[in-house]
Amino acid sequence: MTSASNDEIVLTREPIDAAALAASVRAPEDGAVATFDGCVRNHSRGKTTLYLEYEAYEPMALAKMAEICAEMRSRFSIHRVAMAHRLGRLEIGETSVFVAVSAAHRAAALEACRFVIDTLKRTVPIWKKEFFADGAVWADGETPSIPAETPSRKAASD
Amino acid sequence: MTSASNDEIVLTREPIDAAALAASVRAPEDGAVATFDGCVRNHSRGKTTLYLEYEAYEPMALAKMAEICAEMRSRFSIHRVAMAHRLGRLEIGETSVFVAVSAAHRAAALEACRFVIDTLKRTVPIWKKEFFADGAVWADGETPSIPAETPSRKAASD
Amino acid sequence: MQVRVLFFGRVREIVGRSEDSIELAPGARVEDLFARCRELHPALGPYRASLVASRNQEFAPWTSMLAPGDEVAFLPPVSGG
Amino acid sequence: MQVRVLFFGRVREIVGRSEDSIELAPGARVEDLFARCRELHPALGPYRASLVASRNQEFAPWTSMLAPGDEVAFLPPVSGG
């Protein structure tokens, strides 16, 4: 699922091909590509993790991811973005989220990459369930900010 | 050329395999891998770049890169690092420098990755010459800080 | 009027289904819809403070007015990434 | 005493070679070595303010004392990355 020309936004139940996404944002006018790869750790809460399951409110998650791209473009001089989140069951070591950003200069690429992953974790309706030997728990999450009583659509993403 | 167990430090005249380096830092205990890929832009100083040449004071450059890794480990909770710099002639779009850092958590990986590339540009004795249609120029660089009059070896890297 | 309500994560498990259709009086707000859901699924009560609402795929205040056919969700804290 | 001096980048181009062996009086400092190099290659003069010195692969003050066999370099501003 792809949105605006230079933004690739993906929710997928298949393994994420990080190298292909990193290559996809790169162009001759770029001097920098920053990436972030979130992967499934073998431990959490002091216990051994067996696997994870992710679910999403898919159309809203895609809309929020597109809003993050738009907001990032208003803040940073970047060229292309790819952001992908995996859904369903993930094994240890697999990539759950991947972000790649290209830019002419390094500061924009690095700062935009960080902005994407930090904002995604606060605002995109995706949920993680952690499975341990002794049971499963929904991860502690972050509560998104709510718009004011008379919301404007634009303010709703923060 | 590899240094301490979890630090891979490379100067090479061959193309850098970014995907392989990114994969090499990844382990089951990691939740995050951040990378930075510096690539050759097709323009600089308002002109079309034809190609670049990099040269290094190789043994000192490797020593400074190792110092950056040590300093990074004292500042950030990270797991593995790979840093590679290409030397010789590079064409447009090729990777000149690549950094990959793994960590349990995203903030450490992202901040350490940025620390590496920012510090490398200030302290590692590598020089870039830019070739244009109308001639070649050595890139404006940064002058490394010098230790005090009675230098200690430890302070020399800043 | 009828609205569609969606459940995700912990809320989906408590309710035992991922969506429902609810009949409400005209003029109802998001908070009235939640009250109705809590009548149907009392176990939701303790989670109210941790939830945020969405209306037609935008975060929305609890006081938002609903319209027929709206799609509403009560979202637990998000934990993507 | 004899020391080895290395040239890189713009300095290498000005000097026309990448290294040299220089004979110095005992007690010479890094700045004395640079003065000797400038006598041999006057075009180096204007670059003095932009250079930093290294001694045995560590950045070093211009006042550092040299020892026989030292490896010194006069480094232009670095531009890796």
Side-chain angles (χ1 to χ4, degrees), chain A residues 91-133:
Chain A
E91 309 299 330
I92 304 304
E94 290 196 295
T95 293
S96 56
V97 62
F98 187 78
V99 178
V101 181
S102 63
H105 300 287
R106 78 183 187 282
L110 289 160
E111 288 163 19
C113 184
R114 172 142 207 185
F115 173 81
V116 168
I117 186 64
D118 286 353
T119 310
L120 181 147
K121 285 181 169 265
R122 286 191 296 103
T123 67
V124 177
I126 298 177
W127 298 274
K128 171 168 70 175
K129 194 171 187 178
E130 301 176 293
F131 290 79
F132 303 103

Side-chain angles (χ1 to χ4, degrees), chain B residues 25-89:
Chain B
V25 300
R26 198 178 172 117
E29 61 265 46
D30 300 323
V33 176
T35 76
F36 177 81
D37 184 328
C39 30
V40 181
R41 261 199 328 238
N42 61 7
H43 60 98
S44 179
R45 306 166 187 254
K47 296 195 286 189
T48 298
T49 304
L50 301 180
Y51 62 94
L52 301 182
E53 281 180 8
Y54 283 93
E55 71 177 78
Y57 184 2
E58 296 191 33
M60 183 172 170
L62 289 168
K64 289 290 153 195
M65 290 161 83
E67 281 179 19
I68 292 171
C69 285
E71 175 69 16
M72 172 179 52
R73 290 184 176 284
S74 77
R75 295 186 185 212
F76 307 103
S77 275
I78 58 118
H79 181 211
R80 291 185 189 153
V81 189
M83 51 193 300
H85 204 296
R86 179 99 175 263
L87 301 176
R89 172 171 167 153

